[in-house]
Structure formats: C-alpha cells, structure tokens
Amino acid sequence: GENVEQHPSTLSVQEGDSAVIKCTYSDSASNYFPWYKQELGKGPQLIIDIRSNVGEKKDQRIAVTLNKTAKHFSLHITETQPEDSAVYFCAARPPNNDMRFGAGTRLTVKP
Amino acid sequence: ETGVTQTPRHLVMGMTNKKSLKCEQHLGHNAMYWYKQSAKKPLELMFVYNFKEQTENNSVPSRFSPECPNSSHLFLHLHTLQPEDSALYLCASSQDPLAGGGNEQFFGPGTRLTVL
C-alpha cells in the first residue's frame, strides 16, 4: 500500500521568511496530493491540492510542487505570518484507494 | 449547522465504560470516515462507509464498533478500551471518490478521548 513520509517534523521560521515542507510517497499510481492545515483544537482543513497531471500550483502565498519521477511533493509558504503557525499534513491517494497521510509538520512562525 | 460536527468534543472514560462518539455531516456527502490521530503519528484510517455500507475496516480491534444509520450520521461505539486508545478521533466526509466524486475530505473538529 501507499506510504507517505514527511519532513521536517518541526519547523521554526521568522515572520516574513519562507517555509518549505517535503513529502515522499511510495505508490507511483497515486494521483491526488492534498495538504491540510490543523490549528489547535480543530480538525484538519484543506489548504491546497495538486493532481498528478500538474507540476505546480499556486494560491497566493501558498504553492505546491510535484515531482512524479522522484515521487515527492512539497509545500511552500512565502511571507510567513504568525497565523500560519499550525500542524501541516501532506497526503497521497492512489486510484480506487484511500488517502494516506504523513506524520505532520509543526510550523512555528516567530513574530 | 454547516460542515462536519462531532460530539462530544472531550471524553474521559474508564476501561470498563461504554460510550459512543457521534459525527454528523451537512454537506450532502455519501462517504464518511473515522480516523485516529495520535501524537507524532500519521492519521490512521479506521473505518470507511460509502452509502451507509462499510467498505473498509483497517484491522481495528473489536472494542471499536462503527455504525452508520444513514449517509449523514456516523457513530463510533466504544467498550472496554485500553489507555493506549487515548487519542483524537476525527470524522471526515467526502463525495464517494470511487463513484467519480471529488477527492477532498472535510474533517470535523474531533473528539479528544482519554481512557483511564
């Protein structure tokens, strides 16, 4: 089955700097890669996703890149703000199968 | 209410108690999920229901018993739990991805369970 690894487990950046979180997956058939943000006391919320027919997607300060050959994808947050502090999860979904999640990255943005 | 709601938000129970977690979705979805979230571990998929039928049980111990009476409600019945079952239990819903629906899963806020 699919196996997703996520790094780093914790990340601390200064406000205004960029943050990058990386994930690798094992099943080359996976075709959907969402990123979720989980704030304290809340469930995960989708912030951006990418499908396997696209190499990059951007939404304001958030971007995701996908390298199908290397089977890895990354989340990029630019101009970080304190409200970006949360736990971020990546996931990968093979066709006709359920999503598998990474272990999460706790991002802290220091004012 | 909108989205996915879960009750209770917090639950403390002894190992001999019986309790139930409730999830309700107001999104018109037909697939519902139970996940277990433990510290520093990936979300663990426990059960999946599509159109009220259970389609996946990821080798979950029988002390966890799911129930899906309709496509909007999902329960997780708990009995004789162990301290290692303490975790955040998350419910999610989506359109049925196997029927060509969207992939996005919408999560509830979770129930923080502590087993003493």
Side-chain angles (χ1 to χ4, degrees):
Chain A
E2 175 64 277
N3 182 48
V4 177
E5 296 195 358
Q6 183 172 347
H7 300 280
S9 56
T10 59
L11 179 59
S12 182
V13 300
Q14 206 66 38
E15 182 177 0
D17 288 349
S18 294
V20 180
I21 302 170
K22 298 181 179 182
C23 288
T24 60
Y25 61 99
S26 61
D27 189 341
S28 57
S30 287
N31 59 7
Y32 176 66
F33 306 91
W35 286 89
Y36 285 84
K37 175 183 180 182
Q38 186 174 22
E39 297 175 293
L40 195 62
K42 297 182 179 180
Q45 288 198 312
L46 181 74
I47 55 171
I48 195 168
D49 57 13
I50 193 168
R51 299 178 194 278
S52 58
N53 59 346
V54 177
E56 183 174 359
K57 184 177 178 181
K58 190 174 182 180
D59 182 5
Q60 299 183 332
R61 296 185 297 108
I62 295 172
V64 58
T65 59
L66 171 65
N67 183 328
K68 287 190 295 182
T69 303
K71 290 189 282 188
H72 66 70
F73 56 113
S74 301
L75 177 71
H76 305 252
I77 306 174
T78 59
E79 302 171 29
T80 53
Q81 301 165 3
E83 50 266 38
D84 294 329
S85 296
V87 180
Y88 291 81
F89 294 94
C90 64
R93 183 174 179 272
N96 301 324
N97 215 326
D98 294 301
M99 275 201 291
R100 292 294 180 254
F101 289 82
T105 296
R106 180 172 299 280
L107 174 64
T108 303
V109 180
K110 295 179 285 187
Chain B
E1 291 213 50
T2 59
V4 182
T5 58
Q6 290 187 243
T7 54
R9 294 294 308 276
H10 301 271
L11 178 62
V12 179
M13 59 187 290
M15 289 191 286
T16 58
N17 292 158
K18 289 185 181 181
K19 297 286 184 183
S20 295
L21 309 184
K22 179 182 176 182
C23 175
E24 186 173 359
Q25 59 96 1
H26 309 268
L27 301 168
H29 291 161
N30 42 44
M32 296 188 77
Y33 312 78
W34 278 117
Y35 286 90
K36 177 183 179 182
Q37 186 176 36
S38 305
K40 299 182 180 180
K41 292 175 67 176
L43 284 169
E44 298 173 54
L45 181 65
M46 300 175 71
F47 302 105
V48 182
Y49 278 83
N50 279 329
F51 294 97
K52 303 186 296 177
E53 298 297 320
Q54 187 180 128
T55 59
E56 184 153 349
N57 174 342
N58 268 343
S59 303
V60 180
S62 59
R63 56 186 184 269
F64 296 91
S65 174
E67 177 189 1
C68 188
N70 55 61
S71 57
S72 298
H73 295 84
L74 185 64
F75 295 89
L76 188 62
H77 304 299
L78 316 171
H79 63 99
T80 60
L81 295 192
Q82 305 298 311
E84 58 264 30
D85 296 323
S86 298
L88 182 69
Y89 288 84
L90 290 162
C91 173
S93 72
S94 73
Q95 295 291 356
D96 179 13
L98 300 182
N103 284 286
E104 182 179 356
Q105 291 186 12
F106 293 79
F107 285 85
T111 295
R112 174 68 61 187
L113 173 67
T114 303
V115 181
L116 302 176

